[in-house]
Amino acid sequence: MISGKDVYSFPSNLDDAIEYSSSTLHEENEWYMITSFSKTTFCIELLKEDFSSVNYEKLSKSEVDSIDYLCSIQDDIFYFQNISKANLKPRRFIHIGDDFTYEENSKSININVTPDAIYQKNNDTLYFQSLSKLKKIFKGIEELYREATDEETTEFLNSSFINLTSGYSTLEVKTANRKRITMALETLKKFNPKEKKQIVKYISKYCKNLKTNEDKNTFDIGSEKELKELIYGIEQRYYTTEIGNEKRLANSVIKL
């Protein structure tokens, strides 16, 4: 933990941050945010309490190898940087400062220009660019983008509106679709019986490639491509343009 010295600069484009959603395609250098972060299960105690440096002991050299991340506190804003074990390996280097200093078997940590996460206490919001870099800082945050387990995948494939064909089963479902399944299961939980019937009609309208049994309201799913089309339908990613009446697929979704 670093306090009393500004290590990072506050980004000028945080006002354009997008509310994180697993259905949003993540762009490089784009900022995402999780609001009401202190109420999540993966928020750490450091962010929940009133910070005072006197409550923390100085890090000893013997503890350096156990560092998972850095935290710099500047004007009640918390800046986090993930630390890889490669940063802590002994190495030889020349330090350039007021004078050149050669150091052997020394350990150093490079401070990135941009932090991996920023937490603003005044609006209880966490900002980040890559969720995967935060796993060692906020334990459990990977639940936001995790893959469906075999049990969850089987549960989804056993849905009343799915008829498996061509020997397709849980074993054939790959990583990309397993991530989509976690999202689809959450979406389906929010639907009432009437909405579930509506979504079947919606999918039938846009997913013409999926063979359907109208009497049973089921879709034949026998490949990864067909499963992806079905999940996109559950997420209502298909739409028709107002001008031109052109049918399209939204590859990324941002809630307005």
Side-chain angles (χ1 to χ4, degrees):
M1 185 181 301
I2 305 170
S3 60
K5 181 178 179 60
D6 288 353
V7 178
Y8 300 100
S9 297
F10 190 78
S12 60
N13 58 341
L14 274 194
D15 288 341
D16 299 324
I18 299 168
E19 185 74 37
Y20 173 78
S21 170
S22 56
S23 61
T24 301
L25 182 64
H26 289 188
E27 302 286 351
E28 189 175 356
N29 298 323
E30 189 78 70
W31 285 98
Y32 300 89
M33 63 182 179
I34 300 176
T35 54
S36 301
F37 186 70
S38 65
K39 297 179 177 62
T40 64
T41 57
F42 33 81
C43 180
I44 57 179
E45 289 301 317
L46 173 64
L47 303 183
K48 297 179 181 180
E49 59 192 23
D50 292 330
F51 173 76
S52 175
S53 59
V54 299
N55 295 329
Y56 296 86
E57 297 180 0
K58 185 176 179 180
L59 186 71
S60 66
K61 288 185 178 181
S62 63
E63 297 175 301
V64 169
D65 287 336
S66 64
I67 295 176
D68 285 329
Y69 63 89
L70 289 180
C71 176
S72 176
I73 304 171
Q74 304 166 201
D75 298 325
D76 211 27
I77 298 175
F78 296 73
Y79 297 82
F80 293 90
Q81 179 180 322
N82 179 50
I83 302 299
S84 68
K85 295 308 177 186
N87 287 121
L88 302 175
K89 289 182 178 179
R91 66 190 71 191
R92 294 179 294 173
F93 68 93
I94 296 177
H95 172 72
I96 302 175
D98 295 333
D99 199 0
F100 292 94
T101 305
Y102 173 77
E103 295 189 24
E104 188 171 359
N105 199 36
S106 182
K107 297 180 181 180
S108 63
I109 297 174
N110 293 323
I111 303 297
N112 298 333
V113 174
T114 304
D116 292 322
I118 299 172
Y119 176 73
Q120 279 190 283
K121 209 173 184 68
N122 62 351
N123 63 3
D124 193 16
T125 300
L126 182 79
Y127 301 90
F128 61 92
Q129 292 185 320
S130 174
L131 195 64
S132 63
K133 292 183 179 180
L134 307 185
K135 290 189 290 184
K136 289 197 297 184
I137 304 173
F138 306 106
K139 305 298 184 184
I141 201 168
E142 63 270 16
E143 285 292 309
L144 294 176
Y145 66 100
R146 69 179 180 84
E147 299 176 27
T149 63
D150 283 347
E151 290 75 15
E152 290 169 327
T153 302
T154 299
E155 175 192 346
F156 180 76
L157 294 180
N158 285 339
S159 298
S160 60
F161 54 86
I162 293 178
N163 177 47
L164 296 178
T165 64
S166 305
Y168 192 68
S169 68
T170 296
L171 295 177
E172 279 71 51
V173 182
K174 303 297 188 295
T175 296
N177 270 337
R178 283 177 181 259
K179 289 182 178 180
R180 296 183 184 112
I181 285 174
T182 59
M183 177 176 62
L185 285 172
E186 289 300 314
T187 300
L188 289 171
K189 287 178 183 178
K190 299 174 185 176
F191 288 161
N192 59 39
K194 181 180 178 182
E195 290 169 333
K196 287 181 178 179
K197 291 181 180 179
Q198 289 177 321
I199 203 65
V200 169
K201 291 182 179 179
Y202 171 87
I203 296 171
S204 298
K205 174 183 176 182
Y206 282 102
C207 302
K208 299 297 185 181
N209 293 330
L210 298 183
K211 293 181 180 179
T212 62
N213 184 323
E214 294 183 4
D215 293 333
K216 295 182 179 180
N217 287 325
T218 60
F219 300 94
D220 287 351
I221 303 298
S223 69
E224 287 286 88
K225 183 176 182 293
E226 291 173 344
L227 179 59
K228 180 176 72 172
E229 286 185 29
L230 177 71
I231 295 174
Y232 281 170
I234 293 171
E235 294 299 318
Q236 300 176 74
R237 290 199 182 191
Y238 302 101
Y239 67 100
T240 304
T241 59
E242 290 289 330
I243 300 174
N245 202 37
E246 185 178 61
K247 290 182 173 59
R248 294 180 178 176
L249 166 66
N251 193 41
S252 180
V253 177
I254 298 175
K255 293 182 181 180
L256 302 178

